[in-house]
Amino acid sequence: MRILVVEDDLRIADLLRRALGEAGYAVDVTHATAPALEAFALESYDLVILDLLLPGAPGGGMEVCRLMRRENSDVPILMLTALDSPRNRVNGLDAGADDYLSKPFHLQELLARVRALLRRAPRADHPVLTVADVSLIPATRTAVRGHRTIALTSKEFAVLEYLMRNAGSIVSASALIDHAWDGNYDGYSNVVQTYIRYLRQKLNEPGETDFIQTHRGMGYSVELPP
């Protein structure tokens, strides 16, 4: 899942990037109004973490929240701020935020709120994703094939989830990188091939059909049953 962090404090932004990345999310970070709205318009995000006090526009994060909500009414928005008065909380929620967390905050609480918002998001209505004989369970980040429960790393889960959500279509390596790694990723070019190999080793036992197909020069797919 992909999260946009909009935070002008570079220290907090870096802390959020690392913590969310370690929790298995792909994270993009912006520090001001204009790049935040540009990123939101260009990418499909599962959640936004938005600082209330942003430079670059009248109204700051409150106005950014209103504009984002006008653009997409479904994406959960978690607002962060050092302004902890009831009036500010009410104004933030009225602007379209789904939740409100005061600074300083505990990382574990923030991660718990992120998980709760993602569970309530429209895309999370069907928490167990099944294609052919493989089921993916987001709550435990595991896959089930036959009678086997298969533990997945956060990146393995992100790659497999994207393939399964696009079952029947060929997904390019660049699309998988966009989904499972953040926008600043500049790692080696065969990282997707490496993770596909990891997934095949975990998903396929002798005699089983290969769940993931390779389409040379195009990408990868998982096929819907006939």
Side-chain angles (χ1 to χ4, degrees):
M1 291 187 170
R2 196 175 192 90
I3 295 176
L4 175 63
V5 172
V6 188
E7 170 60 68
D8 68 317
D9 186 314
L10 300 184
R11 183 186 61 83
I12 294 177
D14 187 59
L15 176 68
L16 291 173
R17 184 204 296 274
R18 287 186 284 109
L20 291 164
E22 289 170 3
Y25 304 107
V27 186
D28 293 339
V29 176
T30 63
H31 305 293
T33 299
L37 292 173
E38 181 179 1
F40 190 79
L42 292 175
E43 296 287 348
S44 178
Y45 290 103
D46 297 285
L47 183 138
V48 176
I49 298 176
L50 175 64
D51 184 30
L52 178 61
L53 299 177
L54 283 177
M62 203 79 73
E63 182 61 21
V64 171
C65 184
R66 292 191 186 96
L67 293 171
M68 286 181 172
R69 191 54 75 213
R70 190 181 306 164
E71 179 77 18
N72 188 325
S73 62
D74 292 334
V75 175
I77 297 175
L78 171 59
M79 190 167 281
L80 300 179
T81 183
L83 303 176
D84 191 29
S85 71
R87 180 178 180 181
N88 282 305
R89 290 197 296 273
V90 169
N91 288 342
L93 295 170
D94 284 345
D98 296 278
D99 200 358
Y100 193 102
L101 186 60
S102 301
K103 300 177 184 176
F105 53 83
H106 292 287
L107 271 176
Q108 291 306 313
E109 181 182 0
L110 180 137
L111 291 172
R113 288 173 182 256
V114 165
R115 291 191 297 271
L117 287 170
L118 289 172
R119 282 196 301 270
R120 297 200 297 267
R123 315 180 182 198
D125 287 344
H126 305 287
V128 177
L129 181 63
T130 300
V131 175
D133 61 345
V134 175
S135 294
L136 195 64
I137 306 172
T140 56
R141 283 195 186 154
T142 57
V144 176
R145 189 173 195 185
H147 298 293
R148 294 178 289 125
T149 299
I150 304 160
L152 301 172
T153 68
S154 59
K155 287 291 184 271
E156 290 168 351
F157 179 89
V159 170
L160 184 58
E161 178 196 35
Y162 197 67
L163 287 171
M164 291 177 69
R165 289 193 184 281
N166 291 277
S169 301
I170 298 174
V171 179
S172 68
S174 60
L176 286 168
I177 287 176
D178 283 344
H179 175 76
W181 285 266
D182 66 45
N184 295 318
Y185 179 77
D186 58 358
Y188 56 97
S189 59
N190 63 338
V191 64
V192 171
Q193 182 181 348
T194 298
Y195 275 88
I196 294 293
R197 186 174 72 251
Y198 293 159
L199 284 167
R200 282 177 169 146
Q201 290 170 351
K202 291 187 173 185
L203 291 171
N204 302 329
E205 285 198 335
E208 289 181 328
T209 303
D210 193 349
F211 183 64
I212 301 173
Q213 286 78 50
T214 298
H215 303 269
R216 192 171 298 278
M218 301 174 66
Y220 305 90
S221 71
V222 297
E223 299 302 325
L224 292 168

